[in-house]
């Protein structure tokens, strides 16, 4: 069970700014939806981001937000996010992961797997990345080195960053952070290391895989190390399905969704349990930190997108997801913005329990 810090640690804040921490799921190119959400949130000039937690693509978004804010406030974060996703799309033009075909109609899109995606899906079930890529090259490394300054991030934790990775030998969660001063290129690559595509990433003598297996995203550092009680979760993997998966690809996609939602379901259940203890008067007021949970998602947008579409870096596809994220956030802000700092806007029991 998650241990919640005492309320007594909370600092008095006298301005009228709204402060949130943001937790971002991983999902490869589906992270462009999160980009759209962040772009819209950061347009709110009275909204301050205190902490960011991310896994895989969520980790990339988290680092871009933190460094962008350090460089130039909310607008600086919007600019760096756009720069990252545009560079990511350009890098994908020469990748083996060629984009699939998709249709755009009335603001909606449907993804169809291309032969390139199907080939990658097939070949990675037969050969390991150590066989396919014996030199261990990672196409993201140059992009990460070009855009992000980890010395700057580790020396400035005004926006706290938490990246989740899975320790290969023990299966335990590892959180890299500028609070503990261990953010690095390798740490960021580790959180996005799918073991069927990339060799394990070596960080200070230890091997790591993608954090999505055990912390997607990890929530507890936002409770322990951030003052704000407001945590915004940007969710990519659908929780609910109304159709029984019957084909091999559908079954595989659903298992992937369930696996990648397991960790957040576990953490949110613990938070719900603690909140209930507070509400029922079992825990004395002020003894535990009460969190306000907010959620932005669009499950319908991802229902037709299989796992392989997470490899699609075509600029048109990313733009569709970006627009979907902004639209979701517009709706959320119109309904819930005034509730930040006052109450939860997510139905945690219905969504996660």
């Amino acid at each position: 069970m998650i241990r919640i810090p005492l309320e007594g640690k909370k600092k008095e804040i006298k301005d009228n700014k709204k402060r949130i921490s943001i937790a971002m799921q991983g999902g490869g190119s589906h992270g462009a939806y999160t980009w759209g959400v962040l772009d819209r949130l950061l347009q709110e000039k009275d909204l301050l981001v205190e902490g960011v937690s991310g896994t895989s693509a969520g980790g990339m978004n988290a680092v871009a937000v933190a460094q962008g804010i350090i460089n130039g406030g909310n607008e600086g974060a919007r600019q760096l996010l756009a720069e990252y996703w545009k560079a990511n799309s350009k890098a994908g033009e020469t990748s083996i992961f060629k984009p699939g075909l998709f249709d755009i109609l009335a603001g909606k899109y449907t993804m169809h797997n291309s032969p390139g995606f199907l080939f990658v899906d097939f070949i990675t079930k037969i050969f390991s990345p150590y066989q396919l890529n014996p030199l261990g090259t990672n196409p993201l490394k140059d992009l990460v080195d070009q855009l992000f300054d980890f010395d700057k991030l580790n020396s400035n934790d005004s926006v706290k960053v938490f990246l989740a990775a899975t320790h290969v030998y023990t299966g335990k969660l590892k959180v890299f952070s500028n609070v503990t001063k261990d953010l690095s290129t390798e740490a960021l690559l580790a959180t996005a290391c799918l073991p069927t595509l990339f060799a394990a990433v070596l960080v200070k003598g230890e091997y790591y895989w993608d954090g999505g297996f055990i912390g997607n995203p990890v929530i507890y550092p936002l409770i322990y190390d951030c003052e704000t009680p407001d945590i915004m979760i940007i969710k990519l993997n659908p929780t609910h399905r109304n159709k029984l998966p019957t084909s091999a690809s559908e079954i595989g996609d659903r298992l992937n969704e369930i696996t990648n939602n397991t960790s957040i379901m576990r953490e949110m259940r613990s938070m719900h349990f603690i909140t209930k203890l507070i509400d029922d008067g079992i825990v004395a007021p002020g003894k535990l930190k009460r969190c306000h949970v907010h959620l932005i998602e669009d499950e319908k947008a991802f229902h037709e997108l299989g796992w392989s579409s997470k490899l699609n870096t075509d600029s048109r596809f990313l733009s569709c997801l970006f627009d979907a994220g902004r639209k979701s956030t517009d709706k959320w802000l119109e309904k819930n913005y005034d509730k930040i700092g006052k109450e939860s806007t997510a139905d945690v029991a219905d969504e996660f329990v």
Side-chain angles (χ1 to χ4, degrees):
M1 186 179 73
I2 298 175
R3 296 175 292 107
I4 309 297
L6 296 176
E7 286 277 22
K9 291 185 178 181
K10 189 173 181 179
K11 297 177 182 177
E12 183 179 0
I13 298 173
K14 296 183 179 181
D15 61 43
N16 294 320
K17 301 288 187 180
K18 292 183 178 292
R19 288 168 169 80
I20 63 170
S21 293
I22 305 176
M24 294 164 266
Q25 278 196 324
S29 294
H30 292 185
Y33 173 87
T34 302
W35 168 31
V37 172
L38 295 168
D39 187 75
R40 180 62 188 88
L41 285 175
L42 291 163
Q43 283 186 295
E44 298 297 320
K45 300 188 183 303
D46 289 333
L47 188 66
L48 298 182
V49 178
E50 183 183 352
V52 285
S53 173
T55 298
S56 194
M60 299 290 175
N61 282 324
V63 170
V65 167
Q67 183 170 312
I69 289 175
I70 292 171
N71 290 345
N74 285 9
E75 281 302 310
R78 293 181 69 205
Q79 292 172 15
L80 190 54
L81 281 164
E83 189 175 351
Y84 166 76
W85 282 101
K86 289 175 182 176
N88 192 23
S89 177
K90 186 175 181 181
E93 292 175 0
T94 58
S95 170
I96 187 176
F97 308 131
K98 298 298 181 183
L101 303 174
F102 63 95
D103 304 315
I104 304 175
L105 181 63
K108 299 180 180 180
Y109 50 83
T110 303
M111 184 69 195
H112 310 283
N113 287 336
S114 72
F117 283 137
L118 295 175
F119 174 74
V120 171
D121 189 42
F122 170 76
I123 204 72
T124 54
K125 292 177 180 177
I126 300 175
F127 300 103
S128 82
Y130 300 91
Q131 295 169 302
L132 295 172
N133 181 15
L135 296 179
T137 56
N138 191 317
L140 286 173
K141 186 179 186 305
D142 288 343
L143 180 57
V144 168
D145 285 337
Q146 175 186 344
L147 292 181
F148 303 132
D149 185 341
F150 293 101
D151 288 336
K152 177 182 288 188
L153 285 163
N154 283 322
S155 63
N156 186 335
D157 64 356
S158 56
V159 180
K160 300 175 179 66
V161 182
F162 306 97
L163 305 178
T166 303
H167 190 273
V168 178
Y169 291 172
T170 65
K172 292 182 179 180
L173 173 70
K174 169 65 178 179
V175 178
F176 298 99
S177 174
N178 57 352
V179 175
T180 49
K181 313 300 181 187
D182 57 1
L183 292 182
S184 65
T185 294
E186 291 73 25
L188 185 52
L189 294 178
T191 192
C193 177
L194 287 174
T196 56
L197 297 179
F198 306 114
V201 178
L202 186 64
V203 185
K204 294 184 178 179
E206 303 290 339
Y207 287 100
Y208 296 94
W209 281 338
D210 192 293
F213 302 110
I214 198 165
N216 190 25
V218 62
I219 306 294
Y220 75 84
L222 301 179
I223 302 172
Y224 292 157
D225 295 307
C226 295
E227 299 294 339
T228 178
D230 288 79
I231 299 174
M232 169 69 74
I233 299 170
I234 305 175
K235 192 163 165 288
L236 300 180
N237 296 300
T239 301
H240 306 284
R241 288 281 185 177
N242 296 319
K243 176 187 175 184
L244 179 68
T246 55
S247 69
S249 61
E250 289 175 340
I251 292 170
D253 287 344
R254 186 56 181 152
L255 284 172
N256 181 267
E257 289 171 350
I258 292 171
T259 300
N260 280 277
N261 279 334
T262 299
S263 61
I264 191 171
M265 299 278 276
R266 183 174 59 249
E267 284 200 84
M268 296 310 296
R269 284 170 181 162
S270 296
M271 290 177 65
H272 176 72
F273 174 73
I274 290 169
T275 300
K276 193 172 187 306
L277 291 179
I278 296 172
D279 289 345
D280 292 346
I282 297 173
V283 175
K287 291 295 183 180
L288 296 177
K289 179 178 179 180
R290 184 190 183 93
C291 292
H292 305 144
V293 180
H294 312 287
L295 176 67
I296 294 181
E297 63 178 343
D298 184 352
E299 292 213 343
K300 291 182 179 179
F302 293 99
H303 274 173
E304 300 302 320
L305 302 181
W307 179 89
S308 59
S309 68
K310 295 180 180 182
L311 304 176
N312 186 356
T313 58
D314 183 271
S315 60
R316 297 166 298 170
F317 180 59
L318 299 183
S319 293
C320 286
L321 291 171
F322 172 82
D323 291 340
R326 282 190 57 91
K327 289 177 183 177
S328 296
T329 311
D330 272 330
K331 293 177 182 178
W332 189 91
L333 288 169
E334 183 177 355
K335 182 180 179 181
N336 298 306
Y337 184 74
D338 291 337
K339 297 178 183 178
I340 297 175
K342 300 176 182 177
E343 60 183 278
S344 292
T345 61
D347 189 339
V348 175
D350 179 67
E351 184 74 26
F352 300 104
V353 178

PDB file of all heavy atoms in Angstrom, residues 207-223:
ATOM      1  N   TYR A 207      21.171  -3.125 -15.821  1.00  0.00           N
ATOM      2  CA  TYR A 207      20.409  -3.194 -17.061  1.00  0.00           C
ATOM      3  C   TYR A 207      18.922  -2.920 -16.812  1.00  0.00           C
ATOM      4  O   TYR A 207      18.338  -3.439 -15.847  1.00  0.00           O
ATOM      5  CB  TYR A 207      20.565  -4.560 -17.720  1.00  0.00           C
ATOM      6  CG  TYR A 207      21.920  -4.775 -18.354  1.00  0.00           C
ATOM      7  CD1 TYR A 207      22.906  -5.514 -17.693  1.00  0.00           C
ATOM      8  CD2 TYR A 207      22.218  -4.228 -19.595  1.00  0.00           C
ATOM      9  CE1 TYR A 207      24.157  -5.706 -18.269  1.00  0.00           C
ATOM     10  CE2 TYR A 207      23.473  -4.414 -20.180  1.00  0.00           C
ATOM     11  CZ  TYR A 207      24.432  -5.156 -19.509  1.00  0.00           C
ATOM     12  OH  TYR A 207      25.661  -5.337 -20.088  1.00  0.00           O
ATOM     13  N   TYR A 208      18.341  -2.124 -17.735  1.00  0.00           N
ATOM     14  CA  TYR A 208      16.949  -1.725 -17.574  1.00  0.00           C
ATOM     15  C   TYR A 208      16.164  -1.890 -18.870  1.00  0.00           C
ATOM     16  O   TYR A 208      16.707  -1.745 -19.978  1.00  0.00           O
ATOM     17  CB  TYR A 208      16.851  -0.262 -17.116  1.00  0.00           C
ATOM     18  CG  TYR A 208      17.451  -0.022 -15.757  1.00  0.00           C
ATOM     19  CD1 TYR A 208      18.775   0.406 -15.624  1.00  0.00           C
ATOM     20  CD2 TYR A 208      16.702  -0.239 -14.602  1.00  0.00           C
ATOM     21  CE1 TYR A 208      19.336   0.612 -14.373  1.00  0.00           C
ATOM     22  CE2 TYR A 208      17.256  -0.025 -13.344  1.00  0.00           C
ATOM     23  CZ  TYR A 208      18.563   0.396 -13.240  1.00  0.00           C
ATOM     24  OH  TYR A 208      19.120   0.589 -11.999  1.00  0.00           O
ATOM     25  N   TRP A 209      14.859  -2.163 -18.701  1.00  0.00           N
ATOM     26  CA  TRP A 209      13.890  -2.185 -19.786  1.00  0.00           C
ATOM     27  C   TRP A 209      12.839  -1.105 -19.552  1.00  0.00           C
ATOM     28  O   TRP A 209      12.846  -0.410 -18.534  1.00  0.00           O
ATOM     29  CB  TRP A 209      13.192  -3.544 -19.839  1.00  0.00           C
ATOM     30  CG  TRP A 209      13.968  -4.651 -20.475  1.00  0.00           C
ATOM     31  CD1 TRP A 209      15.005  -4.539 -21.360  1.00  0.00           C
ATOM     32  CD2 TRP A 209      13.757  -6.063 -20.286  1.00  0.00           C
ATOM     33  NE1 TRP A 209      15.452  -5.789 -21.736  1.00  0.00           N
ATOM     34  CE2 TRP A 209      14.704  -6.745 -21.098  1.00  0.00           C
ATOM     35  CE3 TRP A 209      12.856  -6.824 -19.528  1.00  0.00           C
ATOM     36  CZ2 TRP A 209      14.765  -8.131 -21.154  1.00  0.00           C
ATOM     37  CZ3 TRP A 209      12.918  -8.195 -19.592  1.00  0.00           C
ATOM     38  CH2 TRP A 209      13.864  -8.850 -20.390  1.00  0.00           C
ATOM     39  N   ASP A 210      11.935  -1.009 -20.488  1.00  0.00           N
ATOM     40  CA  ASP A 210      10.811  -0.070 -20.443  1.00  0.00           C
ATOM     41  C   ASP A 210      10.099  -0.123 -19.078  1.00  0.00           C
ATOM     42  O   ASP A 210       9.847  -1.192 -18.536  1.00  0.00           O
ATOM     43  CB  ASP A 210       9.820  -0.450 -21.556  1.00  0.00           C
ATOM     44  CG  ASP A 210       8.767   0.603 -21.796  1.00  0.00           C
ATOM     45  OD1 ASP A 210       7.937   0.822 -20.899  1.00  0.00           O
ATOM     46  OD2 ASP A 210       8.755   1.200 -22.891  1.00  0.00           O
ATOM     47  N   GLY A 211       9.757   1.041 -18.561  1.00  0.00           N
ATOM     48  CA  GLY A 211       9.076   1.103 -17.266  1.00  0.00           C
ATOM     49  C   GLY A 211       7.617   0.708 -17.312  1.00  0.00           C
ATOM     50  O   GLY A 211       6.988   0.525 -16.258  1.00  0.00           O
ATOM     51  N   GLY A 212       7.052   0.568 -18.519  1.00  0.00           N
ATOM     52  CA  GLY A 212       5.635   0.279 -18.638  1.00  0.00           C
ATOM     53  C   GLY A 212       5.208  -1.032 -18.010  1.00  0.00           C
ATOM     54  O   GLY A 212       4.033  -1.218 -17.690  1.00  0.00           O
ATOM     55  N   PHE A 213       6.142  -1.942 -17.802  1.00  0.00           N
ATOM     56  CA  PHE A 213       5.798  -3.238 -17.218  1.00  0.00           C
ATOM     57  C   PHE A 213       5.463  -3.135 -15.742  1.00  0.00           C
ATOM     58  O   PHE A 213       4.761  -3.987 -15.201  1.00  0.00           O
ATOM     59  CB  PHE A 213       6.961  -4.221 -17.402  1.00  0.00           C
ATOM     60  CG  PHE A 213       7.351  -4.434 -18.833  1.00  0.00           C
ATOM     61  CD1 PHE A 213       8.557  -3.950 -19.317  1.00  0.00           C
ATOM     62  CD2 PHE A 213       6.492  -5.085 -19.702  1.00  0.00           C
ATOM     63  CE1 PHE A 213       8.915  -4.136 -20.644  1.00  0.00           C
ATOM     64  CE2 PHE A 213       6.839  -5.274 -21.035  1.00  0.00           C
ATOM     65  CZ  PHE A 213       8.052  -4.788 -21.512  1.00  0.00           C
ATOM     66  N   ILE A 214       5.960  -2.087 -15.088  1.00  0.00           N
ATOM     67  CA  ILE A 214       5.839  -2.028 -13.626  1.00  0.00           C
ATOM     68  C   ILE A 214       5.450  -0.645 -13.101  1.00  0.00           C
ATOM     69  O   ILE A 214       5.029  -0.507 -11.953  1.00  0.00           O
ATOM     70  CB  ILE A 214       7.167  -2.494 -12.983  1.00  0.00           C
ATOM     71  CG1 ILE A 214       6.979  -2.876 -11.539  1.00  0.00           C
ATOM     72  CG2 ILE A 214       8.262  -1.465 -13.159  1.00  0.00           C
ATOM     73  CD1 ILE A 214       8.142  -3.661 -10.971  1.00  0.00           C
ATOM     74  N   GLY A 215       5.533   0.386 -13.925  1.00  0.00           N
ATOM     75  CA  GLY A 215       5.147   1.731 -13.498  1.00  0.00           C
ATOM     76  C   GLY A 215       4.749   2.574 -14.693  1.00  0.00           C
ATOM     77  O   GLY A 215       5.589   3.255 -15.265  1.00  0.00           O
ATOM     78  N   ASN A 216       3.480   2.533 -15.073  1.00  0.00           N
ATOM     79  CA  ASN A 216       3.045   3.174 -16.323  1.00  0.00           C
ATOM     80  C   ASN A 216       1.825   4.066 -16.134  1.00  0.00           C
ATOM     81  O   ASN A 216       0.710   3.677 -16.471  1.00  0.00           O
ATOM     82  CB  ASN A 216       2.745   2.104 -17.379  1.00  0.00           C
ATOM     83  CG  ASN A 216       2.533   2.700 -18.763  1.00  0.00           C
ATOM     84  OD1 ASN A 216       3.032   3.775 -19.064  1.00  0.00           O
ATOM     85  ND2 ASN A 216       1.783   2.009 -19.595  1.00  0.00           N
ATOM     86  N   PRO A 217       1.997   5.287 -15.645  1.00  0.00           N
ATOM     87  CA  PRO A 217       3.232   5.858 -15.094  1.00  0.00           C
ATOM     88  C   PRO A 217       3.285   5.605 -13.593  1.00  0.00           C
ATOM     89  O   PRO A 217       2.323   5.119 -13.001  1.00  0.00           O
ATOM     90  CB  PRO A 217       3.080   7.340 -15.388  1.00  0.00           C
ATOM     91  CG  PRO A 217       1.596   7.555 -15.254  1.00  0.00           C
ATOM     92  CD  PRO A 217       0.927   6.300 -15.737  1.00  0.00           C
ATOM     93  N   VAL A 218       4.396   5.950 -12.977  1.00  0.00           N
ATOM     94  CA  VAL A 218       4.519   5.823 -11.538  1.00  0.00           C
ATOM     95  C   VAL A 218       3.944   7.092 -10.892  1.00  0.00           C
ATOM     96  O   VAL A 218       4.244   8.208 -11.297  1.00  0.00           O
ATOM     97  CB  VAL A 218       5.990   5.590 -11.137  1.00  0.00           C
ATOM     98  CG1 VAL A 218       6.883   6.753 -11.531  1.00  0.00           C
ATOM     99  CG2 VAL A 218       6.104   5.314  -9.659  1.00  0.00           C
ATOM    100  N   ILE A 219       3.064   6.888  -9.891  1.00  0.00           N
ATOM    101  CA  ILE A 219       2.343   8.003  -9.273  1.00  0.00           C
ATOM    102  C   ILE A 219       2.965   8.450  -7.951  1.00  0.00           C
ATOM    103  O   ILE A 219       2.999   9.641  -7.643  1.00  0.00           O
ATOM    104  CB  ILE A 219       0.864   7.616  -9.024  1.00  0.00           C
ATOM    105  CG1 ILE A 219       0.194   7.129 -10.314  1.00  0.00           C
ATOM    106  CG2 ILE A 219       0.082   8.791  -8.437  1.00  0.00           C
ATOM    107  CD1 ILE A 219       0.033   8.171 -11.375  1.00  0.00           C
ATOM    108  N   TYR A 220       3.455   7.507  -7.161  1.00  0.00           N
ATOM    109  CA  TYR A 220       3.808   7.833  -5.775  1.00  0.00           C
ATOM    110  C   TYR A 220       4.845   8.946  -5.613  1.00  0.00           C
ATOM    111  O   TYR A 220       4.774   9.710  -4.634  1.00  0.00           O
ATOM    112  CB  TYR A 220       4.220   6.573  -5.005  1.00  0.00           C
ATOM    113  CG  TYR A 220       5.580   6.016  -5.325  1.00  0.00           C
ATOM    114  CD1 TYR A 220       6.735   6.510  -4.727  1.00  0.00           C
ATOM    115  CD2 TYR A 220       5.726   4.960  -6.226  1.00  0.00           C
ATOM    116  CE1 TYR A 220       7.981   5.990  -5.009  1.00  0.00           C
ATOM    117  CE2 TYR A 220       6.970   4.429  -6.512  1.00  0.00           C
ATOM    118  CZ  TYR A 220       8.092   4.938  -5.905  1.00  0.00           C
ATOM    119  OH  TYR A 220       9.328   4.416  -6.199  1.00  0.00           O
ATOM    120  N   PRO A 221       5.838   9.126  -6.538  1.00  0.00           N
ATOM    121  CA  PRO A 221       6.763  10.255  -6.324  1.00  0.00           C
ATOM    122  C   PRO A 221       6.068  11.611  -6.381  1.00  0.00           C
ATOM    123  O   PRO A 221       6.519  12.564  -5.743  1.00  0.00           O
ATOM    124  CB  PRO A 221       7.776  10.101  -7.468  1.00  0.00           C
ATOM    125  CG  PRO A 221       7.680   8.673  -7.875  1.00  0.00           C
ATOM    126  CD  PRO A 221       6.245   8.317  -7.698  1.00  0.00           C
ATOM    127  N   LEU A 222       4.981  11.694  -7.141  1.00  0.00           N
ATOM    128  CA  LEU A 222       4.231  12.954  -7.217  1.00  0.00           C
ATOM    129  C   LEU A 222       3.525  13.242  -5.897  1.00  0.00           C
ATOM    130  O   LEU A 222       3.228  14.401  -5.585  1.00  0.00           O
ATOM    131  CB  LEU A 222       3.216  12.900  -8.359  1.00  0.00           C
ATOM    132  CG  LEU A 222       3.797  12.665  -9.759  1.00  0.00           C
ATOM    133  CD1 LEU A 222       2.678  12.603 -10.793  1.00  0.00           C
ATOM    134  CD2 LEU A 222       4.803  13.751 -10.135  1.00  0.00           C
ATOM    135  N   ILE A 223       3.257  12.182  -5.126  1.00  0.00           N
ATOM    136  CA  ILE A 223       2.649  12.355  -3.804  1.00  0.00           C
ATOM    137  C   ILE A 223       3.720  12.705  -2.777  1.00  0.00           C
ATOM    138  O   ILE A 223       3.584  13.642  -1.993  1.00  0.00           O
ATOM    139  CB  ILE A 223       1.915  11.069  -3.376  1.00  0.00           C
ATOM    140  CG1 ILE A 223       0.851  10.693  -4.405  1.00  0.00           C
ATOM    141  CG2 ILE A 223       1.279  11.243  -1.995  1.00  0.00           C
ATOM    142  CD1 ILE A 223       0.200   9.347  -4.166  1.00  0.00           C
TER     143      ILE A 223
END
